[in-house]
Amino acid sequence: MIRYILLLWPIWAILCVLTLQQPTETTTTALDPAYTVPPDADVGQPIIPNIVDPEAIDAQSVCPGYVASNVKTTDNGLTADLTLAGEACNVYGNDIEALSLVVEYQAADRLHVEILPRYVGSDNYTWFILPEELIPKPQTEDGYDMNASPSDLNFTWSNEPTFSFQVSRISTGDILFTTQGSQLVFEDQFIEFGSSLPENYNLYGLGEVIHGFRLGNNFTRTFFAADVGDIIDANIYGSHPIYLDTRYFEVDKNTGELTYTPNATDKSAQYKSLTHGVFQRNAHAMEVLLRESNITWRALGGNIDLYFYQGPTQDNVTKSYQKSAIGLPTMQQYWTFGYHQCRWGYNNWTELQGVIDNFAKFEIPLETIWSDIDYMTAYRDFENDPDRYSYTEGADFLARLHQNNQHYVPIIDSAIYAPNPTNESDAYPPFDRGMAYDAFLLNPNGSVYIGAVWPGYTVFPDWIGALFNGTGANRWWISEVAEYYSKIKFDGIWIDMSEVSSFCVGSCGSNELDLNPAHPPFQLPGEPGNEVLQYPEGFNLTNATEAASASESLSSQSATAAATETSTATSYLRSTPTPGARNVNWPPYAINNYQGDLAVHAVSPNATHHGGILEYDVHNLYGHQILNATYHALLNVFPTKRPFIIGRSQFAGSGKWAGHWGGDNYSLWAYMFFSIPQALSYSLFGIPMFGVDTCGFADNADMELCSRWMQLSAFFPFYRNHNTEGAASQEPYIWDAVIDASKAAMKIRYALLPYMYTTFYLSHSTGSTTMRALAWEFPNEPWLADADRQFLLGDAIMVTPCLVQGATTVDGVFPGVGSGTVWYDWYNQTSITGVTTGQNVTIDAPLGHIPVYVRGGYIIPMQEPALTTAAARESPWSLLVALDGNGQAKGGLYVDDGESLAPNATLWVDFTVDGSSLKATRHGTFADTNVLGNVTIMGAQGPISKVELNGMEVDAGVWDLQSSSNVLKVTGLDTLTSSGAWTDEWTLTWS
C-alpha cells in the first residue's frame, strides 16, 4: 500500500468535509518508534527519462544494425547468425557483436522468434537469458509438424539494407509485425526493435497500467514494478508484456474481399475483425512506445523472445497464450466469490466484530473480513499486537466467524523487520529464523541488505537465491506461515508491498539498526499535517457547506506544505556506457520510471541474490515469486484446499497461483471507471480473480460514489471494499442509500454465484475469460473497439453502469442487434426493442439502480441469494432462460465441493432449448441434492396450454405465461425434483 498522496488535484475538483461520520483513530502499536527514517533517505539521483530528454541520442540514427548469415532451415523453422553491420555504436551499453536468430513454428497458431547473444556464459547468463525455472518457456507442441499442419503465420527476413524480419498472415496478406525500415540495436543494457502499425490501430494489454482499455497511439508504457499508487499512465505494480492487435476489415459483399478499415462509420456495411497477439518474454525493465504509426520496444537487458499468436479471435489468442506460456488460472474456492470487507484502521478485534455485527444488523451479505497492517505488532509480519489483537481473543473471534461460515484474511507484507541488536526487548524470532536459513537478500559485499518499510529497517526474503542457490527463503516462509496459522486460523493471505518496495535508497539500515523501530520517512494518513481531506469530484454540488469548510482546510494544508518546499534548478545525472561493464544503478538509458532513479522507493538494482544474480535482472519477478512461495505455504497449511491469495505485484503467469486487486486507487469517479479497463486487461493476462478497492482506497468516499461503485463491483469476480487510515468510514452500511444500492446489486450477484463459479471454472480449465469486453463477444462491430464503460460477465450478462457524478441516465449500446442478437432487461425480463446497430441508447439509471441485461440464446443457472455463500449453496436451484430470435438457448453448470484442489467428484450439467423443450443433461458423479425451484423462460411465445416435466404435466397453478412480456414462469418444481435438480436427466416442455 502506498500510504501517502502522490496525485495532486485542483481544490475545486476534489473537495473535502470534516466528515459525516468520525473516522477511525490512527492506529497505535505496542512498540511506537522514537526515530523517523530521514525523508531524504528515499531521494535518489535526478534522472530525466530518455523519451523527454532533449540531449538523448536516437539509437536509430547512430547504430549500424546487423546482417544475417549462415541461415539454416530446421524441421519447424530456421536459425541464423547475426553480426554487427558496422562499427559498434555503444549508445546505451556495450554492443553485442554476435547474435543468434532462432525461428520456430511451435504450433499451428504460434510462431517463436528469438534473438540472443551467440556467446553467453555463467557469469552473464541472467544479463540476457530469462531462466525457465522462473518463467517457463513455451515449447513446440508434441508431434507438431509445420508441413502437416501449416500455420497462417509467415516469417520472412531480409538483409536490405540491414537485417529485418516480417510476420504476416497468409490468408489475408496482412503484415502483422515488421522491423523493416529500422535498425536492430542489441547492447548489454539496451535493446531496441520495433514495427510499423496500421492507421488508427487497436492495441490492448501491456499491463499493468491505469489507462483506457484501448491503448491509443500516443502512449509510453513502462515495465518496472513500482510502489507508487494508482497513478494514471505510470508504471505501477505488475508486468505483462503482451499485447493483442485487433484489425477491422470491410467485407465486399460480392467477392468477400477484405479491406482494412481504420475508421469504420458505415453501420450498414459488413465487417470482419482479425486479432493476433505478441508476447515479449523478457522480465528486465522495459518500455513500449506506442506512436501514431509504429510500436517500439526498448529493454535494459534480456533478449528478444517473441511469441506470435495468430488468433484470429481474442478468445483464440488468450487461450493459446495461457496454455503455452503462462499457465491456466488457479481455481478459487466458492466462498471467495462472496463479499469482502477491509480497511486500514480497524484498531482491534472488537472493532472487527462491530463491523461484522453491523452487516448482520442491516442484512447485507458479508463473506470475509480482512485485516490490514493494524493487527501487527509494530507492523511486523507474523506477530499480532498483544493488546489490540491478542491470540486468545482472536481464537474466540475466528471460532465465531467460522461457525457462521464466514472467513478471515490478513495482510502479510514483503519485508521483514530487522530487530534492534542493542535492545533485548525488540527481539523478533521470525527474523532470527530467517537468518538461520540464509533467507534474505544481500548487498554486493555479502552482508544482508537492509532497507526500510512500515516497521522500520527491514530485510527482504530472497526467492531467487532459494531457487538457484539452495538457500532457505521458501522453506523459512512455509514454516513462518504454518507457525502463524497455529495462532490465527486465517483462510487466505493478502500479499502487499511486493514490487519489492523499500522506503529508502540502498541498504540504508546497514548501520542504523540500533535506531529501530523507526517511523517511515513520510507522514501516514491521518497524522497531524496529513489529514485525509479529499472527497470525490462534484462533492461541492451536493454538500456545499461541508465543501466550503473543507476547501479552507485543504488550502491551509497545501500552503503549509508549499512553505517547506524549496526551488532549485535541476541538474540531471546522465551515465554513459563503461566498456566491459554494466552500470546497474544508473543505466545509460533512463526508462520513464515514475520514481525516476530505479532505487527510489524500491530495493536497489545492485542488491544481490544468493549465488550472485542482481536485482537489476529480476526486479519485475519479486512479486511473482512471493506469490509462488505463498501458494506452496498455504498448500502446506491446507494440503487439500485451493490456496486463496490476493497479491499486488505480479508478472506473466502469476494467475496460476493468485488473484490481484487493483492497488491503491482513489475515491474518485475517474477511478471507478478505470476499474473496468483494468479488469478487462487482467482477463487477457490470465488473472481473472480481479477486483479493485470498491469506493476507493485513498481519500474519502461519499454516498453517491459509493452507491454506484458498490453496485459496479458486484459484477467483478473479486468484490472488496477497502480504504485508508484516517479516512471517513465507507462500509456500505454507513449510508442508507448505499445499503439499498448494495443489497440490490448483491441480490443479483449472490443469485448468479453458480453462473459466476461456472464461468470462472471455464477460465481455469480452458483459458476463457470471466469479464469480457463487448468487442470480444461481438468481434465484427468496429465501433466497439474502445468500449470500456460496459462489459460482459461471462457470455450472457451485460452490465452498463452509471459512472458519472449526478447522472440519472447512462448511454449504452446493445451489441449484435443488427445481426439478430436479443437482449432482455434483467429486472422486468422483457426484450429490448427499437434499437439499431451501434446505437447509443439512453438508459434510466437512477441512484440505486445498475442496468443489467441478459443475452438471448443463453441459460443461466442460479440459486437463492443469501447472506453467505454457504447459505446460498444450500438453496433451491433455478434457471433463467433467455431465448434467442430462433427460440433456442444453451448453457452449462459446473458443481463441485467448492474448495478441493483436486475434487473427488464433479458435476457438469448441459442445458439446451430447442423447439419449446428445455433439456438438462448430467455428466459426472458429484451429488447435489438441492431441488429445482423454478424456471423462467424469457421470449416464450404463446399460446401455451400445457407444461410437462419428463412427460408429467405440471399443475397449471404453478406456471404462468405473461403474454405482454412473453415470459413463462414455472414454479413448484421442487416436489418433482425432490432427490435433487441434477440427479437425473430431465426435459421440460411447453406447448
Side-chain angles (χ1 to χ4, degrees):
M1 295 159 281
I2 189 73
R3 307 302 193 180
Y4 52 97
I5 303 306
L6 290 166
L7 188 62
L8 298 179
W9 291 75
I11 292 174
W12 59 266
I14 309 172
L15 294 169
C16 63
V17 291
L18 296 179
T19 62
L20 300 176
Q21 58 280 320
Q22 292 297 316
T24 303
E25 295 180 0
T26 300
T27 300
T28 59
T29 67
L31 296 172
D32 289 328
Y35 174 74
T36 296
V37 176
D40 61 3
D42 202 22
V43 176
Q45 294 291 332
I47 303 294
I48 181 171
N50 181 278
I51 61 169
V52 295
D53 185 356
E55 299 181 21
I57 299 172
D58 178 11
Q60 291 296 312
S61 67
V62 297
C63 293
Y66 289 79
V67 292
S69 62
N70 193 27
V71 180
K72 296 180 180 179
T73 301
T74 64
D75 289 343
N76 282 342
L78 62 86
T79 63
D81 294 335
L82 302 180
T83 307
L84 269 180
E87 184 179 350
C89 60
N90 299 325
V91 61
Y92 295 115
N94 298 292
D95 278 32
I96 308 301
E97 181 178 354
L99 303 174
S100 293
L101 167 69
V102 177
V103 178
E104 55 181 348
Y105 288 88
Q106 296 187 331
D109 70 336
R110 185 171 78 251
L111 171 67
H112 175 216
V113 178
E114 185 171 18
I115 300 173
L116 69 165
R118 206 177 306 165
Y119 309 108
V120 177
S122 59
D123 58 334
N124 66 355
Y125 185 81
T126 56
W127 297 16
F128 304 112
I129 306 298
L130 176 55
E132 294 185 49
E133 296 91 335
L134 288 170
I135 302 297
K137 195 177 181 70
Q139 302 295 315
T140 300
E141 284 187 359
D142 290 342
Y144 175 67
D145 182 346
M146 63 179 291
N147 296 311
S149 302
S151 174
D152 198 28
L153 299 175
N154 185 45
F155 177 90
T156 57
W157 65 276
S158 171
N159 268 341
E160 297 298 331
T162 59
F163 172 76
S164 64
F165 71 88
Q166 176 176 292
V167 178
S168 59
R169 191 183 295 277
I170 295 172
S171 59
T172 63
D174 192 27
I175 297 173
L176 307 184
F177 196 96
T178 178
T179 64
Q180 181 70 38
S182 63
Q183 303 287 21
L184 169 64
V185 182
F186 203 120
E187 300 173 341
D188 59 3
Q189 286 195 268
F190 182 72
I191 298 171
E192 180 174 283
F193 66 98
S195 172
S196 58
L197 288 171
E199 179 186 355
N200 199 30
Y201 55 83
N202 305 297
L203 259 59
Y204 309 90
L206 298 177
E208 179 178 14
V209 65
I210 305 299
H211 191 83
F213 183 49
R214 180 173 177 263
L215 296 174
N217 60 12
N218 184 24
F219 179 45
T220 298
R221 174 70 188 93
T222 303
F223 294 87
F224 187 78
D227 173 20
V228 299
D230 284 6
I231 306 302
I232 296 170
D233 288 353
N235 55 299
I236 50 175
Y237 319 108
S239 297
H240 297 272
I242 179 174
Y243 69 79
L244 272 66
D245 181 339
T246 297
R247 303 181 183 185
Y248 293 94
F249 300 84
E250 186 170 347
V251 182
D252 187 294
K253 296 180 181 178
N254 296 317
T255 66
E257 182 179 349
L258 302 180
T259 302
Y260 177 71
T261 309
N263 298 290
T265 56
D266 184 358
K267 302 290 177 61
S268 66
Q270 180 181 346
Y271 299 97
K272 179 181 179 62
S273 74
L274 298 171
T275 295
H276 67 274
V278 181
F279 173 47
Q280 159 67 332
R281 184 180 166 273
N282 188 321
H284 277 78
M286 290 194 295
E287 280 181 347
V288 175
L289 285 67
L290 299 179
R291 298 298 182 260
E292 185 173 2
S293 61
N294 63 287
I295 180 173
T296 301
W297 291 80
R298 293 172 179 167
L300 301 191
N303 62 33
I304 299 171
D305 195 7
L306 294 169
Y307 298 83
F308 295 90
Y309 295 89
Q310 74 177 30
T313 67
Q314 166 275 325
D315 187 61
N316 296 145
V317 173
T318 303
K319 287 178 176 176
S320 185
Y321 170 57
Q322 291 176 81
K323 292 176 181 178
S324 67
I326 64 170
L328 292 165
T330 185
M331 186 61 185
Q332 299 292 340
Q333 296 186 58
Y334 201 93
W335 63 264
T336 64
F337 296 97
Y339 175 75
H340 304 257
Q341 180 63 47
C342 184
R343 79 160 296 164
W344 185 20
Y346 291 146
N347 201 45
N348 49 51
W349 291 120
T350 301
E351 285 193 17
L352 279 189
Q353 187 61 56
V355 172
I356 295 167
D357 292 345
N358 277 328
F359 273 89
K361 173 183 176 182
F362 293 103
E363 297 184 321
I364 304 172
L366 174 65
E367 189 71 23
T368 307
I369 193 76
W370 293 52
S371 281
D372 209 313
I373 57 177
D374 318 272
Y375 78 88
M376 301 175 180
T377 295
Y379 300 145
R380 305 174 190 190
D381 282 350
F382 306 120
E383 283 197 354
N384 277 35
D385 185 287
D387 299 318
R388 300 178 300 104
Y389 279 94
S390 73
Y391 295 127
T392 300
E393 187 179 353
D396 293 339
F397 170 87
L398 292 170
R400 293 192 302 273
L401 189 76
H402 291 145
Q403 181 65 31
N404 198 42
N405 291 313
Q406 294 172 303
H407 302 85
Y408 176 69
V409 175
I411 194 171
I412 296 181
D413 279 336
S414 302
I416 299 298
Y417 180 68
N420 187 328
T422 66
N423 182 357
E424 291 185 4
S425 66
D426 198 39
Y428 180 49
F431 170 83
D432 298 330
R433 293 189 289 262
M435 289 295 291
Y437 272 103
D438 283 336
F440 303 126
L441 196 59
L442 305 174
N443 284 303
N445 65 5
S447 62
V448 174
Y449 185 103
I450 303 176
V453 193
W454 301 118
Y457 294 112
T458 58
V459 295
F460 303 87
D462 178 11
W463 315 113
I464 303 297
L467 182 61
F468 293 106
N469 204 53
T471 47
N474 289 67
R475 297 192 302 275
W476 164 79
W477 189 255
I478 288 171
S479 176
E480 292 303 325
V481 170
E483 172 68 17
Y484 186 60
Y485 181 75
S486 71
K487 304 169 185 174
I488 294 294
K489 303 303 182 190
F490 55 77
D491 300 286
I493 288 178
W494 170 22
I495 295 294
D496 198 12
M497 309 300 290
S498 50
E499 292 68 35
V500 60
S501 178
S502 178
F503 299 160
C504 64
V505 173
S507 188
C508 62
S510 290
N511 299 312
E512 308 290 348
L513 288 185
D514 58 349
L515 298 172
N516 251 349
H519 188 284
F522 49 82
Q523 291 178 308
L524 302 185
E527 290 183 337
N530 193 30
E531 292 82 4
V532 179
L533 299 173
Q534 288 81 6
Y535 250 72
E537 313 95 313
F539 184 75
N540 58 316
L541 301 178
T542 52
N543 300 270
T545 302
E546 295 93 332
S549 174
S551 178
E552 181 180 353
S553 300
L554 186 58
S555 297
S556 175
Q557 188 182 87
S558 300
T560 301
T564 64
E565 296 177 356
T566 58
S567 178
T568 59
T570 302
S571 177
Y572 295 107
L573 172 68
R574 296 179 176 90
S575 70
T576 56
T578 302
R582 297 189 303 170
N583 186 340
V584 298
N585 285 333
W586 302 288
Y589 182 87
I591 62 170
N592 188 34
N593 178 32
Y594 183 82
Q595 300 284 18
D597 190 325
L598 300 182
V600 170
H601 223 67
V603 165
S604 292
N606 70 342
T608 306
H609 298 267
H610 288 81
I613 296 174
L614 297 184
E615 177 69 4
Y616 177 91
D617 296 314
V618 292
H619 169 81
N620 283 335
L621 299 177
Y622 195 97
H624 182 71
Q625 287 305 112
I626 194 174
L627 295 177
N628 181 4
T630 305
Y631 183 87
H632 289 92
L634 286 178
L635 281 181
N636 178 63
V637 173
F638 308 109
T640 64
K641 290 185 179 181
R642 305 162 197 162
F644 176 56
I645 308 165
I646 295 294
R648 193 168 73 176
S649 185
Q650 2 76 53
F651 191 77
S654 294
K656 59 180 170 284
W657 300 314
H660 174 56
W661 97 102
D664 297 344
N665 60 2
Y666 295 82
S667 293
L668 295 168
W669 289 83
Y671 280 87
M672 179 169 61
F673 153 69
F674 280 125
S675 71
I676 300 174
Q678 198 177 8
L680 295 176
S681 295
Y682 272 87
S683 291
L684 299 179
F685 303 151
I687 307 182
M689 193 61 173
F690 177 86
V692 300
D693 282 350
T694 301
C695 301
F697 171 74
D699 307 337
N700 298 299
D702 67 5
M703 177 275 294
E704 185 183 3
L705 176 65
C706 206
S707 290
R708 295 296 194 188
W709 211 331
M710 283 293 295
Q711 292 205 311
L712 170 60
S713 288
F715 298 91
F716 283 45
F718 178 54
Y719 184 19
R720 186 183 73 166
N721 180 316
H722 175 228
N723 69 323
T724 189
E725 173 97 283
S729 297
Q730 63 184 40
E731 294 84 3
Y733 53 72
I734 295 296
W735 304 273
D736 289 343
V738 181
I739 292 174
D740 294 339
S742 300
K743 291 171 73 171
M746 287 180 175
K747 182 179 180 181
I748 302 174
R749 179 188 181 89
Y750 276 67
L752 286 174
L753 282 175
Y755 169 78
M756 183 178 288
Y757 190 70
T758 299
T759 301
F760 198 93
Y761 167 73
L762 293 173
S763 295
H764 159 72
S765 58
T766 73
S768 62
T769 53
T770 296
M771 285 183 65
R772 305 179 185 181
L774 303 189
W776 301 344
E777 289 291 302
F778 300 90
N780 299 326
E781 299 192 14
W783 40 88
L784 300 178
D786 59 355
D788 54 10
R789 289 163 176 78
Q790 297 173 266
F791 62 91
L792 287 154
L793 176 61
D795 48 18
I797 298 293
M798 184 172 70
V799 182
T800 305
C802 181
L803 304 170
V804 177
Q805 191 274 331
T808 57
T809 61
V810 59
D811 288 344
V813 297
F814 291 91
V817 294
S819 55
T821 298
V822 179
W823 291 99
Y824 298 90
D825 187 297
W826 170 272
Y827 301 95
N828 63 31
Q829 300 180 336
T830 59
S831 61
I832 304 300
T833 59
V835 177
T836 59
T837 300
Q839 178 186 353
N840 249 324
V841 179
T842 299
I843 301 164
D844 285 338
L847 192 64
H849 175 75
I850 182 168
V852 179
Y853 300 92
V854 184
R855 184 179 176 184
Y858 292 88
I859 300 172
I860 299 173
M862 302 191 299
Q863 287 179 283
E864 295 300 313
L867 297 181
T868 65
T869 61
R873 280 194 63 142
E874 295 174 354
S875 67
W877 293 97
S878 62
L879 294 177
L880 181 63
V881 179
L883 298 180
D884 65 14
N886 298 316
Q888 298 178 329
K890 62 182 179 180
L893 168 66
Y894 174 76
V895 187
D896 62 14
D897 65 11
E899 64 178 24
S900 292
L901 190 66
N904 292 325
T906 63
L907 173 66
W908 181 270
V909 185
D910 281 313
F911 305 112
T912 56
V913 170
D914 191 12
S916 299
S917 175
L918 166 62
K919 185 175 182 179
T921 306
R922 169 195 177 94
H923 311 275
T925 60
F926 183 81
D928 181 279
T929 58
N930 293 313
V931 299
L932 178 64
N934 61 79
V935 174
T936 299
I937 301 169
M938 300 183 292
Q941 300 296 316
I944 296 174
S945 59
K946 181 171 62 176
V947 175
E948 294 180 330
L949 181 66
N950 287 339
M952 297 178 58
E953 187 167 348
V954 177
D955 191 309
V958 298
W959 66 266
D960 177 58
L961 174 65
Q962 299 172 2
S963 56
S964 61
S965 57
N966 293 324
V967 177
L968 173 63
K969 295 189 176 183
V970 184
T971 61
L973 296 174
D974 51 336
T975 59
L976 302 177
T977 57
S978 57
S979 62
W982 324 122
T983 301
D984 301 298
E985 181 178 302
W986 54 258
T987 302
L988 182 76
T989 60
W990 54 98
S991 57

